[in-house]
């Protein structure tokens, strides 16, 4: 199946292009050479910096662990999500002193939410609700058996899942939802956005090599690096991350999972090459090439979210069709599916200002998934899961068979 949005040439290490300098209208031929690794220097020192993204990824990892600790409270979990500098919410002292947090970056991209505060408010309320529910619904019944309409635990072999009365693992909704609402939204719809990259004097300062005060990078270089950080910011070798996929619980983990599927092998390198070439294009002042690479990244990262949405729906369907369904595993798969489906509203169709699925469409899919009402997933039917998987795959350049295996 043909998957590349743009010709393979655009992802090559070397590309001969032509662009126009808006200042003097003189054509400039630029041979843009992507380096072997994500390494860029000025005067012998690195210009790459995505420390804020690494910090937020670490905060997300800490929150993920705390969501499975029944000694935590709703207040302590919320404090981790909306951390304030100097507050001791984490074991890591560097995180405690940081002025970063996850909540302020939830549904906060320039392209999707700068003028859409109503949806931003509702999305943040969803996360607040899931975090609170983990503490108030799940933790009090940590050692009780779950049943339709009653939260508790379900043991399947060596795994124990902790679900709501509707069969949902709230921790999975939070973490998988953050993949879209923070990591993808910030990378695809904020830092790779022309409105952010070209804001103010960014173009003229980039072309003059004018760096941010006290830093070794231009503003445009830094914005692109921040997008990179949300994907590769916790890799052991972030300059060459493809040997260490799965370094976090967010985009990097599922980039690794999708890369490991033979139907999608090579997707990680496509994303990595596009990041390198786009960054090199910024150094060269070739903004057309930069934006072409942003389109590749948007398509491929959006595809990862779509693939995993379908994957978990189909895995749950196959288990439901067994003579003795393992409901703990089924609910785990469907909770992951729920979070990835929720994240579809933060994907980005290349060349547009639109996600692959609008918030309204996402809510309709989730309503169908939870159609049983009070009992939610307890009575979900295999055909429902198949229908939802078909609906999602139809928007992307992959099939249910490819994604579901």
């Amino acid at each position: 199946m043909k998957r590349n949005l743009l010709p393979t040439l655009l992802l090559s290490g070397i590309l001969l292009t032509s662009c126009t300098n808006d200042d003097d209208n003189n054509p400039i031929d630029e041979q843009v050479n992507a380096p072997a690794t994500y390494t860029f220097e000025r005067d012998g020192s690195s210009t790459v910096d995505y420390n804020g993204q690494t910090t937020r990824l670490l905060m997300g990892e800490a929150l993920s662990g705390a969501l499975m600790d029944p000694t935590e409270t709703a207040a302590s979990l919320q404090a981790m999500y909306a951390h304030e500098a100097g507050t001791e919410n984490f074991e890591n002292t560097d995180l405690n002193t940081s002025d970063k947090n996850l909540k302020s970056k939830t549904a906060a991209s320039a392209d999707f939410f700068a003028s859409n505060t109503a949806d931003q408010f509702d999305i943040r309320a969803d996360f607040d609700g899931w975090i609170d529910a983990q503490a108030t619904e799940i933790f009090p019944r940590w050692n009780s058996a779950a049943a339709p309409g009653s939260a508790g635990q379900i043991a399947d072999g060596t795994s124990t899942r902790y679900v709501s009365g509707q069969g949902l693992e709230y921790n999975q909704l939070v973490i998988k939802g953050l993949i879209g609402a923070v990591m993808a939204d910030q990378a695809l719809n904020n830092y790779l956005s022309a409105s952010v990259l070209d804001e103010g004097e960014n173009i003229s300062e980039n072309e003059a090599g004018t760096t941010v005060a006290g830093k070794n990078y231009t503003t445009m270089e830094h914005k692109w690096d921040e997008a990179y950080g949300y994907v590769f910011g916790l890799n052991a070798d972030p300059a060459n991350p493809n040997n260490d996929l799965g370094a976090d619980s967010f985009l990097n983990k599922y980039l690794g999972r999708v890369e490991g599927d033979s139907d999608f092998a090579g997707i990680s390198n496509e994303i990595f090459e596009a990041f390198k070439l786009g960054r090199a294009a910024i150094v060269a002042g070739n903004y057309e090439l930069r934006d072409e690479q942003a389109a590749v990244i948007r398509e491929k990262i959006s595809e990862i979210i779509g693939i995993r949405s379908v994957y978990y729906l189909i895995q749950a369907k196959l288990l439901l069709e067994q003579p003795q369904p393992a409901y703990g595993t089924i609910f785990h798969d469907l909770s992951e599916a729920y979070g990835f489906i929720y994240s579809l509203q933060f994907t980005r169709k290349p060349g547009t200002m639109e996600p692959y699925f609008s918030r309204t469409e996402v809510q309709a899919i989730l309503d169908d998934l939870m159609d049983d009402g009070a009992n939610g997933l307890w009575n979900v039917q295999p055909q429902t899961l198949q229908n939802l998987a078909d609906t999602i795959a139809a928007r992307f350049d992959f099939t249910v068979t490819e994604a579901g295996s």
Side-chain angles (χ1 to χ4, degrees):
M1 176 167 285
K2 187 176 181 181
R3 301 191 190 287
N4 290 334
L5 171 71
L6 301 172
T8 302
L9 182 62
L10 293 182
L11 288 173
S12 65
I14 300 177
L15 178 66
L16 183 64
T17 65
S18 175
C19 66
T20 300
N21 186 318
D22 291 335
D23 291 337
D24 55 20
N25 293 320
N26 292 323
I28 300 174
D29 289 330
E30 291 285 0
Q31 181 170 299
V32 180
N33 300 283
T37 64
Y38 198 86
T39 304
F40 299 89
E41 296 184 345
R42 177 176 285 108
D43 299 328
S45 298
S46 176
T47 62
V48 177
D49 185 354
Y50 41 78
N51 180 66
Q53 287 61 50
T54 299
T55 295
R56 288 192 175 89
L57 289 171
L58 289 171
M59 288 178 172
E61 295 294 337
L63 177 60
S64 179
L67 285 165
M68 293 300 288
D69 180 355
T71 67
E72 297 283 354
T73 65
S76 65
L77 294 173
Q78 290 287 0
M80 296 178 75
Y81 176 51
H83 171 71
E84 295 182 2
T87 307
E88 295 186 1
N89 303 132
F90 306 99
E91 293 182 4
N92 185 325
T93 56
D94 289 338
L95 298 185
N96 290 332
T97 59
S98 174
D99 62 356
K100 314 297 183 187
N101 66 47
L102 290 165
K103 186 169 186 176
S104 66
K105 293 298 183 180
T106 300
S109 65
D111 284 355
F112 280 11
F113 298 102
S115 60
N116 187 7
T117 55
D119 278 357
Q120 181 187 76
F121 179 86
D122 290 343
I123 289 164
R124 292 181 182 181
D126 288 340
F127 283 93
D128 287 342
W130 297 332
I131 290 170
D132 284 347
Q134 182 73 359
T136 60
E137 294 179 29
I138 306 298
F139 288 172
R141 292 186 53 80
W142 197 251
N143 296 312
S144 301
S150 181
Q153 63 168 257
I154 302 177
D156 278 347
T158 59
S159 299
T160 301
R161 307 299 180 184
Y162 301 90
V163 302
S164 72
Q166 292 184 303
L168 287 170
E169 289 181 285
Y170 291 123
N171 65 309
Q172 294 299 324
L173 272 57
V174 172
I175 300 306
K176 273 53 179 185
L178 287 175
I179 289 174
V182 175
M183 287 68 185
D185 186 50
Q186 284 293 297
L188 309 188
N189 308 316
N190 196 66
Y191 292 121
L192 296 183
S193 167
S195 66
V196 171
L197 291 168
D198 298 341
E199 185 178 13
E201 303 301 316
N202 288 0
I203 292 177
S204 60
E205 290 178 355
N206 187 68
E207 292 177 351
T210 303
T211 58
V212 176
K215 304 295 183 180
N216 196 36
Y217 49 70
T218 69
T219 298
M220 189 186 296
E221 290 170 340
H222 185 49
K223 297 302 181 185
W224 187 272
D225 291 343
E226 289 183 291
Y228 184 84
Y230 274 118
V231 185
F232 298 114
L234 279 185
N235 287 89
D237 182 6
N240 188 24
N242 282 331
N243 294 325
D244 181 36
L245 297 176
D248 62 46
S249 300
F250 303 98
L251 275 173
N252 196 268
K253 175 179 180 177
Y254 293 98
L255 177 55
R257 294 288 178 85
V258 174
E259 176 66 28
D261 182 336
S262 60
D263 289 309
F264 304 104
I267 191 171
S268 176
N269 196 53
E270 288 182 78
I271 292 169
F272 180 54
E273 291 295 330
F275 265 119
K276 287 192 302 172
L277 188 54
R279 182 61 156 79
I282 290 174
V283 175
N286 189 330
Y287 307 123
E288 181 180 356
L289 178 59
R290 177 202 71 184
D291 292 343
E292 288 170 351
Q293 302 316 300
V296 173
I297 296 164
R298 283 171 172 154
E299 181 192 38
K300 295 305 175 181
I301 288 180
S302 296
E303 192 173 72
I304 288 167
I305 294 172
I307 290 167
R308 296 310 285 188
S309 298
V310 171
Y311 173 83
Y312 286 118
L313 289 169
I314 295 303
Q315 292 302 302
K317 172 183 178 286
L318 294 174
L319 288 173
L320 272 174
E321 292 171 335
Q322 297 300 310
Q324 294 182 316
Y327 279 98
T329 303
I330 291 168
F331 292 165
H332 179 65
D333 286 343
L334 290 180
S335 295
E336 293 194 273
Y338 191 112
F340 275 106
I341 293 167
Y342 190 88
S343 287
L344 288 171
Q345 65 192 293
F346 308 102
T347 57
R348 181 73 168 268
K349 289 190 288 187
T352 76
M353 289 285 285
E354 300 176 356
Y356 280 82
F357 287 85
S358 69
R359 179 163 174 78
T360 298
E361 290 175 315
V362 164
Q363 288 174 320
I365 292 172
L366 294 176
D367 285 346
D368 286 344
L369 179 63
M370 307 299 292
D371 188 51
D372 187 57
N375 290 336
L377 299 178
W378 288 92
N379 293 329
V380 71
Q381 298 300 307
Q383 189 59 51
T384 297
L385 303 181
Q386 182 68 54
N387 292 344
L388 296 180
D390 290 342
T391 295
I392 294 168
R395 296 280 177 93
F396 293 92
D397 188 23
F398 61 78
T399 67
V400 171
T401 300
E402 290 170 324
S405 61

